[in-house]
Every structure is written in structure tokens, then in C-alpha cells.
Coordinates of all heavy atoms in Angstrom, one line a residue:
M9 N 122.6 85.1 78.7 CA 122.7 86.5 78.1 C 124.0 87.1 78.7 O 124.0 87.4 80.0 CB 121.5 87.2 78.4 CG 121.4 88.6 77.8 SD 121.2 88.5 76.1 CE 121.7 90.1 75.6
L10 N 124.9 87.6 77.9 CA 126.0 88.2 78.4 C 126.0 89.8 78.0 O 125.7 90.2 76.9 CB 127.3 87.7 77.7 CG 127.6 86.2 78.2 CD1 128.8 85.6 77.2 CD2 127.9 86.0 79.6
E11 N 126.3 90.5 79.1 CA 126.4 91.9 78.8 C 127.8 92.5 78.7 O 128.5 92.2 79.6 CB 125.6 92.6 80.1 CG 125.2 94.1 79.9 CD 124.6 94.6 81.2 OE1 123.5 94.1 81.5 OE2 125.2 95.4 81.8
I12 N 128.0 93.1 77.6 CA 129.5 93.5 77.5 C 129.6 95.0 77.5 O 128.8 95.8 76.8 CB 129.9 93.0 76.0 CG1 129.9 91.4 76.1 CG2 131.4 93.5 75.7 CD1 130.0 90.8 74.7
T13 N 130.6 95.5 78.3 CA 130.9 96.9 78.3 C 132.4 97.1 77.9 O 133.3 96.4 78.3 CB 130.7 97.3 79.9 OG1 129.7 96.9 80.4 CG2 130.7 98.9 80.0
T14 N 132.6 98.1 77.1 CA 134.0 98.6 76.7 C 134.7 99.2 77.8 O 134.1 100.3 78.2 CB 133.9 99.3 75.4 OG1 133.2 98.6 74.4 CG2 135.3 99.6 74.9
I15 N 135.7 98.8 78.3 CA 136.4 99.3 79.3 C 137.5 100.2 78.7 O 137.8 101.3 79.1 CB 137.2 98.4 80.2 CG1 136.0 97.4 80.9 CG2 138.1 99.2 81.3 CD1 135.2 98.1 81.9
D16 N 138.2 99.8 77.7 CA 139.3 100.4 76.9 C 139.1 100.1 75.5 O 139.0 98.9 75.2 CB 140.6 100.0 77.6 CG 141.8 100.7 77.0 OD1 141.8 101.0 75.8 OD2 142.6 101.0 77.8
E17 N 139.3 101.0 74.6 CA 139.1 100.9 73.2 C 140.2 100.0 72.6 O 139.9 99.4 71.5 CB 139.2 102.3 72.4 CG 138.0 103.3 72.8 CD 136.8 102.8 72.0 OE1 136.8 102.4 70.9 OE2 135.7 103.2 72.6
N18 N 141.2 99.9 73.2 CA 142.3 99.1 72.8 C 142.1 97.4 73.0 O 143.0 96.7 72.8 CB 143.8 99.3 73.5 CG 144.0 100.7 73.0 OD1 143.9 101.2 71.8 ND2 144.6 101.6 73.9
G19 N 141.0 97.1 73.5 CA 140.7 95.7 73.7 C 140.4 95.2 75.0 O 140.6 93.9 75.3
V20 N 139.8 96.0 76.0 CA 139.5 95.5 77.3 C 138.0 95.6 77.5 O 137.5 96.8 77.2 CB 140.3 96.3 78.4 CG1 140.1 95.7 79.8 CG2 141.8 96.3 78.1
Y21 N 137.4 94.5 77.8 CA 136.0 94.5 78.0 C 135.5 93.8 79.3 O 136.2 92.9 79.7 CB 135.3 93.8 76.7 CG 135.7 94.4 75.4 CD1 136.9 94.0 74.8 CD2 134.9 95.3 74.8 CE1 137.2 94.6 73.5 CE2 135.2 95.8 73.7 CZ 136.4 95.5 73.0 OH 136.7 95.9 71.8
A22 N 134.5 94.3 79.9 CA 133.8 93.7 81.0 C 132.7 92.8 80.5 O 131.8 93.3 79.9 CB 133.3 94.7 82.0
V23 N 132.7 91.5 80.7 CA 131.7 90.6 80.3 C 131.0 90.2 81.6 O 131.4 89.5 82.4 CB 132.2 89.5 79.6 CG1 131.0 88.5 79.1 CG2 133.0 89.9 78.3
K24 N 129.6 90.6 81.6 CA 128.8 90.3 82.7 C 127.8 89.2 82.5 O 127.1 89.3 81.3 CB 128.1 91.6 83.2 CG 127.5 91.5 84.6 CD 127.0 92.9 85.0 CE 126.2 92.8 86.2 NZ 125.7 94.1 86.5
N25 N 127.6 88.2 83.3 CA 126.6 87.2 83.1 C 125.5 87.6 84.1 O 125.6 87.3 85.2 CB 127.1 85.8 83.3 CG 126.1 84.7 82.9 OD1 124.8 84.8 83.2 ND2 126.6 83.6 82.5
C26 N 124.4 88.2 83.5 CA 123.4 88.7 84.5 C 122.6 87.5 85.2 O 122.2 87.7 86.2 CB 122.3 89.4 83.6 SG 123.1 90.7 82.5
K27 N 122.6 86.4 84.5 CA 121.8 85.2 85.1 C 122.6 84.7 86.3 O 122.2 84.5 87.4 CB 121.7 84.2 84.1 CG 120.5 83.3 84.3 CD 120.3 82.4 83.1 CE 119.1 81.4 83.1 NZ 119.1 80.5 82.1
K28 N 124.0 84.6 86.1 CA 124.8 84.0 87.2 C 125.4 85.0 88.1 O 125.7 84.8 89.2 CB 125.9 83.2 86.6 CG 125.6 81.9 85.9 CD 126.8 81.1 85.4 CE 126.5 79.8 84.7 NZ 127.6 79.3 84.1
G29 N 125.3 86.3 87.7 CA 125.9 87.4 88.6 C 127.4 87.5 88.5 O 128.0 88.0 89.4
T30 N 128.0 86.9 87.5 CA 129.5 86.9 87.4 C 129.9 87.9 86.5 O 129.2 88.4 85.6 CB 130.0 85.5 87.1 OG1 129.4 85.2 85.8 CG2 129.8 84.5 88.1
E31 N 131.2 88.5 86.7 CA 131.7 89.4 85.8 C 133.2 89.1 85.5 O 133.9 88.9 86.5 CB 131.4 90.8 86.3 CG 131.6 91.9 85.3 CD 131.4 93.3 85.7 OE1 131.3 93.5 86.9 OE2 131.2 94.1 84.9
Y32 N 133.6 89.2 84.3 CA 135.0 88.9 84.0 C 135.6 90.0 83.1 O 134.9 90.5 82.2 CB 135.1 87.6 83.1 CG 134.8 86.3 84.0 CD1 133.6 85.7 83.8 CD2 135.5 85.8 84.9 CE1 133.1 84.7 84.5 CE2 135.2 84.7 85.7 CZ 133.9 84.2 85.5 OH 133.5 83.1 86.2
L33 N 136.8 90.4 83.3 CA 137.5 91.4 82.6 C 138.2 90.6 81.5 O 139.2 89.9 81.7 CB 138.4 92.1 83.5 CG 138.8 93.5 83.0 CD1 137.6 94.5 83.0 CD2 139.8 94.1 84.1
V34 N 137.7 90.8 80.3 CA 138.3 90.1 79.1 C 139.2 91.0 78.2 O 138.8 92.1 78.1 CB 137.2 89.5 78.2 CG1 137.7 89.0 76.9 CG2 136.4 88.5 79.0
T35 N 140.4 90.5 77.9 CA 141.2 91.3 77.0 C 141.3 90.5 75.6 O 141.4 89.3 75.7 CB 142.6 91.5 77.6 OG1 142.5 91.9 79.0 CG2 143.4 92.4 76.8
I36 N 141.2 91.2 74.5 CA 141.5 90.5 73.2 C 142.7 91.0 72.6 O 143.1 92.1 72.7 CB 140.2 90.5 72.3 CG1 139.7 91.9 72.1 CG2 139.1 89.7 72.9 CD1 138.9 92.0 70.8
E37 N 143.3 90.1 71.9 CA 144.6 90.4 71.1 C 145.6 91.0 71.9 O 145.9 92.2 71.9 CB 144.3 91.3 69.9 CG 143.5 90.7 68.8 CD 143.0 91.6 67.6 OE1 143.5 92.6 67.6 OE2 142.2 91.1 66.9
P38 N 146.4 90.2 72.8 CA 146.1 88.8 73.0 C 145.0 88.5 73.9 O 144.6 89.3 74.9 CB 147.5 88.3 73.8 CG 147.9 89.6 74.4 CD 147.4 90.8 73.6
D39 N 144.3 87.4 73.8 CA 143.1 87.0 74.4 C 143.4 86.6 75.8 O 144.2 85.5 76.0 CB 142.3 85.9 73.6 CG 142.0 86.2 72.2 OD1 142.2 87.4 71.8 OD2 141.7 85.3 71.4
T40 N 142.8 87.1 76.8 CA 142.8 86.5 78.2 C 141.4 86.7 78.8 O 140.7 87.7 78.5 CB 143.9 87.4 79.0 OG1 143.5 88.7 79.0 CG2 145.3 87.0 78.5
C41 N 141.1 85.7 79.7 CA 140.0 85.8 80.4 C 140.3 85.1 81.8 O 140.8 84.1 81.8 CB 138.8 85.2 79.8 SG 137.3 85.3 80.7
P42 N 139.8 85.7 83.0 CA 140.2 85.1 84.2 C 139.3 83.9 84.6 O 139.4 83.3 85.6 CB 140.0 86.2 85.2 CG 139.0 87.1 84.6 CD 139.2 87.0 83.0
C43 N 138.4 83.5 83.8 CA 137.5 82.4 84.1 C 138.0 81.0 84.0 O 139.2 80.8 83.5 CB 136.2 82.5 83.3 SG 136.3 81.8 81.6
I44 N 137.5 80.1 84.6 CA 138.0 78.7 84.7 C 138.1 78.0 83.3 O 139.1 77.3 83.0 CB 137.1 77.9 85.7 CG1 137.2 78.4 87.1 CG2 137.4 76.4 85.6 CD1 136.2 77.9 88.1
A45 N 137.0 78.2 82.4 CA 137.0 77.6 81.1 C 138.3 78.1 80.3 O 138.9 77.3 79.7 CB 135.7 78.0 80.4
Y46 N 138.6 79.4 80.5 CA 139.7 79.8 79.6 C 141.0 79.3 80.2 O 142.0 78.9 79.5 CB 139.9 81.4 79.8 CG 141.0 81.8 79.0 CD1 140.9 82.0 77.5 CD2 142.1 82.2 79.5 CE1 142.0 82.4 76.8 CE2 143.3 82.6 78.7 CZ 143.0 82.7 77.4 OH 144.2 83.0 76.6
R47 N 141.2 79.1 81.5 CA 142.3 78.4 82.1 C 142.5 77.0 81.6 O 143.7 76.6 81.4 CB 142.2 78.4 83.6 CG 143.6 78.6 84.4 CD 143.5 78.5 85.8 NE 142.5 79.4 86.4 CZ 141.9 79.3 87.7 NH1 142.0 78.2 88.3 NH2 141.2 80.3 88.0
Y48 N 141.4 76.3 81.4 CA 141.6 74.9 81.1 C 141.6 74.7 79.5 O 142.4 74.0 79.0 CB 140.4 74.1 81.6 CG 140.4 73.7 82.9 CD1 139.8 74.4 83.9 CD2 141.3 72.6 83.4 CE1 139.9 74.1 85.2 CE2 141.5 72.3 84.6 CZ 140.8 73.0 85.6 OH 140.9 72.7 87.0
Y49 N 140.9 75.6 78.7 CA 140.8 75.3 77.3 C 141.5 76.3 76.4 O 141.5 76.3 75.2 CB 139.4 75.1 76.9 CG 138.6 74.1 77.7 CD1 137.5 74.6 78.6 CD2 138.8 72.8 77.5 CE1 136.8 73.5 79.3 CE2 138.1 71.9 78.2 CZ 137.2 72.2 79.1 OH 136.5 71.3 79.8
G50 N 141.8 77.5 77.1 CA 142.3 78.6 76.4 C 141.4 79.3 75.5 O 141.8 80.0 74.6
D51 N 140.2 79.1 75.8 CA 139.1 79.7 75.1 C 137.8 79.8 75.9 O 137.7 78.8 76.7 CB 138.9 79.0 73.7 CG 138.0 79.9 72.7 OD1 137.9 81.1 72.9 OD2 137.5 79.4 71.8
C52 N 137.0 80.7 75.6 CA 135.7 80.6 76.5 C 134.6 81.5 75.9 O 134.9 82.2 74.9 CB 135.9 81.1 77.9 SG 136.5 82.8 78.0
K53 N 133.5 81.3 76.3 CA 132.3 82.1 75.8 C 132.4 83.7 75.9 O 131.9 84.4 75.1 CB 131.0 81.6 76.3 CG 130.9 81.7 77.8 CD 129.5 81.2 78.2 CE 129.4 81.3 79.8 NZ 128.2 80.6 80.3
H54 N 133.1 84.1 76.9 CA 133.3 85.4 77.2 C 134.1 86.2 76.0 O 133.8 87.1 75.5 CB 134.0 85.8 78.6 CG 133.4 85.0 79.6 ND1 134.0 83.9 80.3 CD2 132.2 85.0 80.2 CE1 133.2 83.4 81.2 NE2 132.1 84.1 81.1
I55 N 135.2 85.6 75.7 CA 136.0 85.9 74.6 C 135.4 85.8 73.3 O 135.3 86.8 72.5 CB 137.4 85.2 74.5 CG1 138.3 85.6 75.7 CG2 138.1 85.4 73.3 CD1 139.5 84.8 75.9
Q56 N 134.5 84.8 73.0 CA 133.8 84.6 71.8 C 132.7 85.7 71.8 O 132.5 86.3 70.7 CB 133.1 83.2 71.8 CG 134.2 82.0 71.6 CD 135.1 82.3 70.4 OE1 134.7 82.7 69.4 NE2 136.4 81.9 70.6
A57 N 132.1 86.0 72.8 CA 131.1 87.1 72.9 C 131.6 88.5 72.5 O 131.1 89.2 71.7 CB 130.4 87.2 74.2
V58 N 132.9 88.7 73.0 CA 133.5 90.0 72.7 C 133.9 90.0 71.3 O 133.6 91.1 70.7 CB 134.8 90.2 73.7 CG1 135.6 91.3 73.3 CG2 134.3 90.4 75.2
K59 N 134.4 89.0 70.8 CA 134.8 88.9 69.4 C 133.7 89.3 68.4 O 133.8 89.8 67.4 CB 135.6 87.7 69.1 CG 136.9 87.7 69.6 CD 137.8 86.5 69.1 CE 139.4 86.7 69.6 NZ 140.1 85.5 69.3
D60 N 132.5 88.6 68.8 CA 131.3 88.7 67.9 C 130.9 90.3 67.9 O 130.6 90.8 66.9 CB 130.1 87.9 68.5 CG 130.2 86.6 68.2 OD1 131.0 86.2 67.3 OD2 129.5 85.7 68.7
I61 N 130.9 90.9 69.0 CA 130.6 92.3 69.1 C 131.6 93.1 68.4 O 131.2 94.0 67.5 CB 130.7 92.7 70.6 CG1 129.5 92.1 71.4 CG2 130.5 94.2 70.7 CD1 128.1 92.6 71.2
V62 N 132.9 92.9 68.4 CA 134.0 93.7 67.9 C 133.8 93.5 66.3 O 133.9 94.5 65.6 CB 135.3 93.2 68.4 CG1 136.4 93.9 67.4 CG2 135.5 93.6 69.7
R63 N 133.5 92.3 65.9 CA 133.3 92.0 64.4 C 132.1 92.8 63.8 O 132.2 93.4 62.8 CB 133.1 90.6 64.3 CG 133.7 90.0 62.9 CD 133.5 88.6 62.8 NE 134.2 87.8 63.9 CZ 133.7 86.7 64.5 NH1 132.4 86.3 64.2 NH2 134.4 86.1 65.4
E64 N 131.0 92.7 64.7 CA 129.9 93.5 64.2 C 130.1 95.0 64.1 O 129.6 95.7 63.3 CB 128.7 93.3 65.2 CG 127.9 92.1 64.9 CD 126.8 91.8 65.8 OE1 126.3 92.7 66.4 OE2 126.5 90.6 66.0
D65 N 130.8 95.5 65.1 CA 131.2 96.9 65.3 C 132.1 97.3 64.0 O 131.8 98.4 63.4 CB 132.0 97.1 66.5 CG 132.0 98.5 66.9 OD1 131.0 99.2 66.7 OD2 133.1 99.0 67.5
K66 N 133.0 96.5 63.6 CA 133.8 96.6 62.5 C 133.0 96.8 61.2 O 133.2 97.6 60.3 CB 134.8 95.7 62.4 CG 136.1 96.1 63.2 CD 137.2 95.1 63.1 CE 138.3 95.5 64.1 NZ 139.2 94.3 64.3
H67 N 132.0 95.8 61.0 CA 131.1 95.8 60.0 C 130.3 97.1 59.8 O 130.2 97.6 58.8 CB 130.1 94.6 60.1 CG 130.7 93.3 59.5 ND1 131.0 93.0 58.1 CD2 131.2 92.3 60.0 CE1 131.4 92.0 58.0 NE2 131.7 91.4 59.2
M68 N 129.9 97.6 61.0 CA 129.1 98.9 61.0 C 130.0 99.9 60.6 O 129.4 100.7 59.8 CB 128.6 99.0 62.4 CG 127.2 98.4 62.6 SD 126.7 98.4 64.4 CE 126.7 100.1 64.7
K69 N 131.2 100.1 61.0 CA 132.1 101.2 60.7 C 132.3 101.1 59.2 O 132.3 102.2 58.5 CB 133.3 101.1 61.4 CG 133.2 101.6 62.7 CD 134.6 101.4 63.7 CE 134.2 101.9 65.1 NZ 135.3 101.5 66.0
I70 N 132.5 99.9 58.6 CA 132.8 99.8 57.1 C 131.5 100.2 56.4 O 131.6 101.0 55.4 CB 133.1 98.3 56.8 CG1 134.5 98.0 57.3 CG2 133.1 98.1 55.3 CD1 134.9 96.5 57.4
A71 N 130.4 99.9 56.8 CA 129.1 100.2 56.2 C 128.9 101.7 56.2 O 128.5 102.3 55.2 CB 128.0 99.5 56.9
I72 N 129.2 102.4 57.3 CA 129.1 103.8 57.5 C 130.1 104.5 56.5 O 129.7 105.5 55.8 CB 129.4 104.3 58.9 CG1 128.2 103.8 59.8 CG2 129.6 105.8 59.0 CD1 128.4 103.9 61.2
E73 N 131.3 104.0 56.5 CA 132.4 104.6 55.5 C 131.8 104.5 54.1 O 132.0 105.5 53.3 CB 133.7 103.9 55.7 CG 134.6 104.4 56.9 CD 135.6 103.5 57.4 OE1 136.1 102.6 56.5 OE2 136.1 103.6 58.3
R74 N 131.3 103.3 53.7 CA 130.8 103.1 52.4 C 129.7 104.1 52.0 O 129.6 104.6 50.9 CB 130.4 101.7 52.1 CG 131.6 100.8 51.9 CD 131.1 99.4 51.5 NE 132.4 98.6 51.4 CZ 132.3 97.4 51.7 NH1 131.3 96.7 52.0 NH2 133.5 96.6 51.6
T75 N 128.8 104.3 53.0 CA 127.7 105.2 52.9 C 128.2 106.6 52.6 O 127.7 107.3 51.7 CB 126.7 105.2 54.1 OG1 126.4 103.8 54.3 CG2 125.5 106.0 53.8
E76 N 129.2 107.0 53.4 CA 129.8 108.4 53.2 C 130.5 108.5 51.8 O 130.3 109.6 51.1 CB 130.8 108.6 54.3 CG 130.1 109.0 55.6 CD 131.1 109.1 56.8 OE1 132.3 108.8 56.7 OE2 130.6 109.4 57.9
D77 N 131.1 107.5 51.4 CA 131.7 107.5 50.0 C 130.6 107.7 48.9 O 130.7 108.7 48.1 CB 132.4 106.1 49.7 CG 133.7 106.1 50.3 OD1 134.3 107.1 50.9 OD2 134.4 105.0 50.4
L78 N 129.5 107.1 49.1 CA 128.5 107.2 48.2 C 127.8 108.5 48.1 O 127.6 109.2 47.1 CB 127.3 106.2 48.5 CG 127.6 104.7 48.1 CD1 126.4 103.9 48.6 CD2 127.8 104.5 46.5
M79 N 127.8 109.1 49.4 CA 127.2 110.5 49.5 C 128.1 111.5 48.8 O 127.6 112.4 48.2 CB 127.0 110.8 50.9 CG 125.8 110.2 51.5 SD 125.8 110.3 53.3 CE 125.4 112.0 53.7
V80 N 129.4 111.3 48.9 CA 130.4 112.1 48.3 C 130.2 112.1 46.8 O 130.3 113.1 46.1 CB 131.9 111.8 48.8 CG1 132.9 112.7 48.1 CG2 131.9 112.2 50.3
L81 N 130.2 110.8 46.3 CA 130.2 110.6 44.9 C 128.8 111.2 44.2 O 128.8 111.7 43.2 CB 130.1 109.1 44.6 CG 131.5 108.4 44.7 CD1 131.3 106.8 44.7 CD2 132.5 108.9 43.7
D82 N 127.8 111.2 45.0 CA 126.6 111.7 44.5 C 126.7 113.3 44.4 O 126.0 113.9 43.6 CB 125.4 111.3 45.5 CG 124.9 109.9 45.3 OD1 125.2 109.3 44.2 OD2 124.3 109.3 46.2
Ligands
ZN8 ZN1 135.8 83.5 80.1

């Protein structure tokens, strides 16, 4: 279970692994993570977790905008 905190709206997130007690500062676009997996593979679960959250957040914003449009049309 990863806990994600937004540090900066421009794409900086703190990803905390509660089970292991580790925390990484992840940046997306361009993607960077200080963990070992990222250093070896250029990708890691921390970045994936952040991207999932960001994608959901964008979907929510689109949904809200659409709802507002409908309200205006009504
Ligand atoms: Zn990582």
C-alpha cells in the first residue's frame, strides 16, 4: 500500500510505503524516482502509482466540468 502526497502541483509527489517505512520523492514528466528499481529499469511502482492517481484526478476534473456544462444547459 503506497501513500501519495502532492508536494508540488507541477508534478512532484512523495510516495510512502507504509509497510516498509520507505519514502521517495517522485517527479513525473520527466519521470524520476530515487529508488533502486528506477535506477536499473527506468521505471518503478512509485511512478506508476503516481500516474494512476494523476490519471484518476484528471478524469474527475473532466467529469466535474461536464456536470457543470449540463447544469448550464439546463
Ligand atoms: Zn521508485
Side-chain angles (χ1 to χ4, degrees):
M9 183 71 195
L10 298 171
E11 196 180 291
I12 299 163
T13 314
T14 306
I15 302 295
D16 189 313
E17 294 285 332
N18 296 321
V20 186
Y21 303 85
V23 181
K24 192 176 174 184
N25 188 324
C26 306
K27 215 173 170 183
K28 289 184 181 173
T30 53
E31 193 175 22
Y32 296 103
L33 206 60
V34 174
T35 312
I36 55 161
E37 289 170 15
D39 305 344
T40 57
C41 182
C43 79
I44 292 164
Y46 184 78
R47 206 185 305 156
Y48 281 101
Y49 308 112
D51 194 18
C52 67
K53 61 183 177 184
H54 311 110
I55 287 173
Q56 291 309 317
V58 169
K59 284 187 170 175
D60 279 350
I61 294 286
V62 171
R63 210 176 299 139
E64 272 176 33
D65 197 36
K66 276 180 186 163
H67 275 285
M68 267 166 63
K69 277 176 187 161
I70 289 165
I72 290 163
E73 277 166 17
R74 282 190 184 148
T75 309
E76 281 170 359
D77 281 348
L78 287 172
M79 282 165 76
V80 171
L81 288 170
D82 284 341

